[in-house]
């Protein structure tokens, strides 16, 4: 099927031709449309299929087959893509030899909601030890209070690889729970 368009402003004619589709393995709505090549010049000019590939970019969003999924193994899973919205507030706790630092962040915007550290001036001077179990309880209580002030009542904690929730980390998390913050898993 050939269509020709004649324009009086152009010195020569423009022709539009339909190009047959190559057989594709996927069925999508884009495969039902013919590719159209536009060439300038005589309507009877020769057509080059290699030239048509340069002119058109085919884009269709279809379900990937197993073979296509194997070609792109780094594509994130559904949970990885939606986790940021299902559990938006994340607790981050850091233990140093000298102090304890904890913060609650919003995952989508990376905004820090609340911060508590034993290295702060008021806690550094009032606590006898900046790394013991009592300091962990103080940090947990401060994080819970400051999160409530920012209207955050549910947070989540993602342990690192081979990290157990026990000891000082367990004390911080239990103190936050005791002070009215829910932990979403």
């Amino acid at each position: 099927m050939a269509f020709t368009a004649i324009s009086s402003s152009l010195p020569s004619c423009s022709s539009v031709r339909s190009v047959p589709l190559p057989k594709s393995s996927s069925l999508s709505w884009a495969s039902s449309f013919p590719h159209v090549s536009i060439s300038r010049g005589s309507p009877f000019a020769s057509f080059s299929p290699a030239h048509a590939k340069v002119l058109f970019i085919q884009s269709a969003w279809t379900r990937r087959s197993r073979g296509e999924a194997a070609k792109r193994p780094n594509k994130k899973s559904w949970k990885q893509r939606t986790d940021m919205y299902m559990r938006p507030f994340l607790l981050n706790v850091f233990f140093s030899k000298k102090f304890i630092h904890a913060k609650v962040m919003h995952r989508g915007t990376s905004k820090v909601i609340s911060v508590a550290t034993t290295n702060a001036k008021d806690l550094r001077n009032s606590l006898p030890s900046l790394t013991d179990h009592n300091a962990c309880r103080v940090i947990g209580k401060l994080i819970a209070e400051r999160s409530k002030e920012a209207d955050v009542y549910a947070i989540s904690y993602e342990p690192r690889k081979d990290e157990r929730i026990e000891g000082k980390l367990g004390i911080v998390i239990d103190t936050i729970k005791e002070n009215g913050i829910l932990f979403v898993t």
Side-chain angles (χ1 to χ4, degrees):
M1 177 188 300
F3 299 96
T4 57
I6 301 173
S7 173
S8 60
S9 63
L10 295 175
S12 63
C13 297
S14 297
S15 66
V16 179
R17 296 178 191 217
S18 175
V19 178
L21 282 176
K23 297 290 181 188
S24 72
S25 59
S26 67
L27 295 175
S28 67
W29 64 273
S31 63
S32 63
F33 294 104
H35 288 278
V36 179
S37 173
I38 302 173
S39 63
R40 196 165 168 199
S42 169
F44 304 107
S46 63
F47 177 74
S48 170
H51 186 63
K53 290 182 182 178
V54 176
L55 290 178
F56 292 99
I57 301 170
Q58 186 178 14
S59 63
W61 189 258
T62 59
R63 187 170 183 268
R64 299 184 319 152
S65 66
R66 291 181 197 264
E68 289 172 331
K71 291 177 188 173
R72 289 181 48 194
N74 294 333
K75 184 175 179 186
K76 293 182 179 179
S77 67
W78 175 258
K79 183 179 179 185
Q80 289 171 330
R81 286 182 281 161
T82 59
D83 202 33
M84 177 181 5
Y85 305 103
M86 302 302 284
R87 301 186 302 162
F89 298 102
L90 187 65
L91 175 68
N92 187 357
V93 184
F94 175 72
F95 297 98
S96 166
K97 289 182 179 180
K98 296 182 178 181
F99 65 93
I100 301 167
H101 180 82
K103 64 182 172 182
V104 176
M105 289 182 57
H106 186 263
R107 284 181 171 183
T109 59
S110 298
K111 181 180 176 185
V112 177
I113 304 300
S114 60
V115 177
T117 180
T118 56
N119 204 20
K121 280 186 180 180
D122 55 344
L123 293 179
R124 195 176 351 156
N125 297 330
S126 63
L127 292 174
S129 173
L130 302 181
T131 58
D132 65 349
H133 295 286
N134 186 32
C136 293
R137 288 185 189 90
V138 170
I139 291 298
K141 185 175 179 182
L142 282 173
I143 283 289
E145 289 174 1
R146 293 174 182 173
S147 296
K148 285 180 187 177
E149 289 173 7
D151 291 332
V152 174
Y153 296 96
I155 60 177
S156 63
Y157 180 77
E158 287 184 0
R160 294 178 181 90
K161 187 176 180 180
D162 298 332
E163 183 181 36
R164 297 180 182 169
I165 300 177
E166 60 186 18
K168 293 180 181 179
L169 178 62
I171 292 172
V172 171
I173 290 176
D174 288 340
T175 308
I176 292 172
K177 286 180 185 176
E178 290 169 4
N179 286 295
I181 300 292
L182 299 173
F183 270 82
V184 181
T185 57

